[in-house]
Amino acid sequence: MSKSYQHLDSITALFVAVLLISNVASTKIVDFGWFTFDGGTLLFPLSYIFGDILTEVYGYQRSRKVIWLGFCSALLMSFTLIIVGALPPAADWHYQTAYEQILGLTPRIVIASLIAYFVGEFSNSWILAKLKILTRGKWLWSRTIASTLVGQLLDTGIFILISFTGVVPNSLLLTLIVSNYLFKCGVEILFTPATYVLTSWLKRQEREDFYDVNTNFNPFALKESKRSTS
């Protein structure tokens, strides 16, 4: 029988909420001090922090389910916004142009977002799980930061290159990639103490500290592996 957890549902809900809100906020490009990035970048790094916590405490196969839930939720939201935008507006509703400019997602943006999310999140979770075994559960900071450096690089690079190549000047393309990447990784590093506190608290509350020794890391696997805890 599967083990039940007190807080897994709450973390899952927060993870999906952060993902969806970030996708909507990404429709605006902002200047933030030295950085130029899409608005979703302000919140999106939290999804990687939640992803780190999920994998560290509950293991890769639990995290895999949450990542897929986020993927399906983002896909549903994107299709809904596209369909609503394509429907004819009511005669006395005069905001169709505004809707299309802000929420009128193109297939290119949707594809870029989903591919980037899939590759980035699974890379992040896989690296953290592997490093936990390699470090024998020590040096959490090294796992969260290393996994984020790789996951965010893939996520940011894939999304911006697919979304904006040929749409914005190459100079802005590079600026977006660098600014997004540095800001996201910086947030992860700054939140490391909070990640330590929350992770330690969850491990005590859930009585779980999962090690993915026998885990099947195929992101498409449905069968759960034998669980191994410390």
Side-chain angles (χ1 to χ4, degrees):
M1 183 174 65
S2 298
K3 182 177 179 179
S4 61
Y5 298 101
Q6 299 181 61
H7 306 290
L8 180 58
D9 290 343
S10 298
I11 297 175
T12 299
L14 288 171
F15 176 90
V16 174
V18 166
L19 173 65
L20 299 184
I21 295 169
S22 298
N23 280 352
V24 175
S26 294
T27 56
K28 180 176 180 178
I29 304 298
V30 301
D31 283 325
F32 191 78
W34 294 335
F35 302 99
T36 300
F37 46 66
D38 63 86
T41 300
L42 291 172
L43 187 63
F44 186 70
L46 293 181
S47 70
Y48 272 75
I49 295 173
F50 285 129
D52 289 343
I53 293 170
L54 282 165
T55 304
E56 174 68 22
V57 178
Y58 303 102
Y60 177 89
Q61 63 189 22
R62 298 280 183 184
S63 182
R64 175 171 54 207
K65 292 181 179 179
V66 177
I67 292 172
W68 273 112
L69 178 60
F71 183 92
C72 294
S73 298
L75 183 63
L76 176 61
M77 183 189 72
S78 299
F79 280 151
T80 301
L81 294 178
I82 291 173
I83 292 171
V84 170
L87 292 172
D92 57 348
W93 194 76
H94 308 293
Y95 307 104
Q96 179 66 20
T97 300
Y99 180 95
E100 292 175 350
Q101 290 175 336
I102 302 300
L103 297 177
L105 301 176
T106 64
R108 181 174 180 176
I109 296 294
V110 173
I111 291 171
S113 176
L114 293 175
I115 293 175
Y117 166 80
F118 183 89
V119 174
E121 288 289 350
F122 274 112
S123 297
N124 180 77
S125 185
W126 181 84
I127 291 172
L128 190 142
K130 288 292 188 180
L131 286 178
K132 184 173 184 179
I133 298 172
L134 184 64
T135 60
R136 298 180 180 179
K138 301 178 181 178
W139 311 315
L140 175 60
W141 62 269
S142 67
R143 302 195 292 281
T144 60
I145 293 176
S147 61
T148 295
L149 290 176
V150 176
Q152 291 285 16
L153 179 61
L154 293 171
D155 187 294
T156 303
I158 290 172
F159 176 74
I160 292 177
L161 289 174
I162 294 177
S163 298
F164 301 115
T165 297
V167 177
V168 301
N170 289 337
S171 57
L172 179 56
L173 201 67
L174 180 60
T175 299
L176 286 171
I177 293 175
V178 173
S179 295
N180 272 269
Y181 182 65
L182 292 179
F183 185 84
K184 291 173 181 177
C185 293
V187 170
E188 173 79 25
I189 294 171
L190 288 175
F191 272 79
T192 296
T195 302
Y196 262 85
V197 172
L198 184 54
T199 299
S200 297
W201 180 79
L202 279 172
K203 287 179 179 179
R204 293 193 302 270
Q205 289 289 311
E206 306 285 35
R207 297 182 179 179
E208 180 70 279
D209 186 7
F210 190 79
Y211 285 74
D212 287 284
V213 177
N214 300 309
T215 298
N216 179 359
F217 285 96
N218 180 354
F220 302 99
L222 298 177
K223 183 179 179 181
E224 292 189 359
S225 307
K226 182 180 179 181
R227 300 184 64 76
S228 174
T229 57
S230 64

